[in-house]
């Protein structure tokens, strides 16, 4: 297998939380340029897998790679090539939406015109000057995805990106994934919605128990 064709490789991951066997030998690869859906009901182990993949959690056994680097040793260069949105909401709530994006734009040396472009795409231009603590769940999630796209990543990893959101936010997030993918980029997306997987994904993997 030519690993350059596979930005994500997951090999026989096992994870035990005490007596709970959360993962029992998960393996799959995500091809360059595809939208890969990771499907399963709540509690199946999707977040655990994505946390291990991005190096936030250690597996009990097995190995995973992003751009051919081991998850536990991802370099800054590789991290800059990826955008990650997990369920934990880590926005600065007392800052406005625009300030949140500009903060990261400065960090990544990204022009503020990109911030405006993303605010517009996610219909947050007007709301951009309001504090994030007053945002709805859908607005926060749109802002998180905008933030993940700021540094022009090649790979997007999304954990249940539309769970519990209003239909307008869901539609904008789906369009963002389609746009991102149409430029040749790679997406790994976990979801428990079959319709979402059906609309967005080129290939899917199921995980259950
Ligand atoms: P999903 O993302 O598919 O909903 P998770 O990866 O969150 O699934 O959870 C998989 C299993 O591991 C579940 O049984 C869950 O209760 C358990 N689990 C997840 N995190 C922990 C933890 N920190 N401690 C103990 N059990 C956990």
């Amino acid at each position: 297998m030519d690993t350059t064709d596979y930005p994500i490789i997951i090999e026989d991951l096992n994870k035990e939380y005490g007596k709970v066997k959360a993962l029992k030998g998960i393996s799959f690869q995500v091809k360059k340029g595809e939208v890969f859906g990771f499907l399963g009901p709540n509690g199946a182990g999707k977040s655990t897998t994505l946390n291990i993949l991005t190096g936030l959690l250690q597996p009990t056994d097995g190995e995973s790679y992003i751009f051919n680097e081991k998850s536990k040793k991802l370099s800054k260069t590789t991290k800059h090539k990826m955008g990650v949105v997990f369920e934990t909401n880590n926005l600065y709530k007392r800052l406005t939406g625009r300030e949140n994006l500009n903060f990261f734009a400065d960090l990544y040396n990204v022009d503020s015109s990109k911030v405006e472009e993303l605010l517009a795409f996610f219909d947050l231009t007007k709301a951009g000057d309001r504090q994030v603590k007053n945002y709805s769940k859908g607005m926060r999630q749109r802002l998180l995805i905008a933030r993940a796209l700021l540094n022009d990543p090649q790979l997007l990893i999304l954990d249940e990106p539309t769970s519990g959101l209003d239909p307008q936010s869901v539609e904008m997030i789906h369009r963002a994934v389609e746009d991102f993918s149409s430029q040749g980029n790679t997406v790994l997306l976990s979801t428990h919605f079959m319709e979402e997987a059906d609309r967005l994904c080129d290939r899917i993997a199921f995980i259950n128990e």
Side-chain angles (χ1 to χ4, degrees), residues 8-111:
I8 291 176
I9 297 174
I10 290 184
E11 284 175 351
D12 205 18
L13 282 187
N14 286 275
K15 178 66 183 177
E16 292 167 16
Y17 294 108
K19 280 185 191 149
V20 179
K21 286 199 159 102
L23 299 179
K24 302 170 204 162
I26 304 292
S27 302
F28 62 85
Q29 302 84 33
V30 179
K31 270 187 229 159
K32 189 166 185 274
E34 77 179 347
V35 180
F36 189 96
F38 193 36
L39 244 101
N42 286 328
K46 302 182 297 296
S47 299
T48 299
T49 305
L50 298 186
N51 281 322
I52 293 172
L53 175 67
T54 50
L56 298 172
L57 190 69
Q58 293 300 312
T60 307
D61 204 6
E63 199 61 79
S64 58
Y65 304 84
I66 296 185
F67 293 119
N68 218 14
E69 288 180 4
K70 285 187 182 177
S71 294
K72 45 186 111 112
K73 293 186 194 161
L74 296 178
S75 65
K76 226 183 219 171
T77 319
T78 288
K79 285 182 183 163
H80 283 180
K81 285 196 277 184
M82 38 194 283
V84 176
V85 181
F86 284 172
E87 279 178 291
T88 48
N89 179 340
N90 51 0
L91 293 160
Y92 295 107
K93 296 190 184 57
R94 272 183 293 187
L95 296 184
T96 67
R98 187 172 268 107
E99 285 166 346
N100 264 275
L101 292 191
N102 275 318
F103 178 83
F104 280 89
D106 286 346
L107 221 66
Y108 290 124
N109 230 344
V110 170
D111 199 89

Side-chain angles (χ1 to χ4, degrees), residues 186-206:
T186 311
V187 184
L188 170 59
L189 161 115
S190 88
T191 180
H192 60 267
F193 297 122
M194 291 292 263
E195 306 78 36
E196 179 161 277
D198 190 41
R199 167 166 173 183
L200 297 177
C201 300
D202 300 303
R203 290 196 304 146
I204 55 168
F206 285 100

Side-chain angles (χ1 to χ4, degrees), residues 69-196:
E69 288 180 4
K70 285 187 182 177
S71 294
K72 45 186 111 112
K73 293 186 194 161
L74 296 178
S75 65
K76 226 183 219 171
T77 319
T78 288
K79 285 182 183 163
H80 283 180
K81 285 196 277 184
M82 38 194 283
V84 176
V85 181
F86 284 172
E87 279 178 291
T88 48
N89 179 340
N90 51 0
L91 293 160
Y92 295 107
K93 296 190 184 57
R94 272 183 293 187
L95 296 184
T96 67
R98 187 172 268 107
E99 285 166 346
N100 264 275
L101 292 191
N102 275 318
F103 178 83
F104 280 89
D106 286 346
L107 221 66
Y108 290 124
N109 230 344
V110 170
D111 199 89
S112 61
S113 63
K114 180 81 183 176
V115 169
E116 295 308 315
E117 188 189 306
L118 284 164
L119 285 172
F121 184 94
F122 287 102
D123 197 21
L124 292 170
T125 303
K126 257 207 207 142
D129 288 327
R130 278 163 49 196
Q131 282 181 304
V132 166
K133 67 177 183 187
N134 299 320
Y135 277 21
S136 69
K137 189 174 177 200
M139 291 163 80
R140 287 181 193 196
Q141 185 70 345
R142 282 184 264 145
L143 189 64
L144 278 170
I145 295 182
R147 198 183 71 187
L149 292 169
L150 254 186
N151 58 323
D152 270 327
Q154 300 166 26
L155 170 67
L156 202 53
I157 300 176
L158 305 172
D159 192 9
E160 299 270 1
T162 62
S163 214
L165 302 190
D166 58 286
Q168 286 85 357
S169 293
V170 172
E171 179 59 28
M172 276 180 247
I173 291 168
H174 284 175
R175 275 201 281 119
V177 169
E178 286 168 342
D179 268 27
F180 181 74
S181 158
S182 72
Q183 292 156 40
N185 297 309
T186 311
V187 184
L188 170 59
L189 161 115
S190 88
T191 180
H192 60 267
F193 297 122
M194 291 292 263
E195 306 78 36
E196 179 161 277

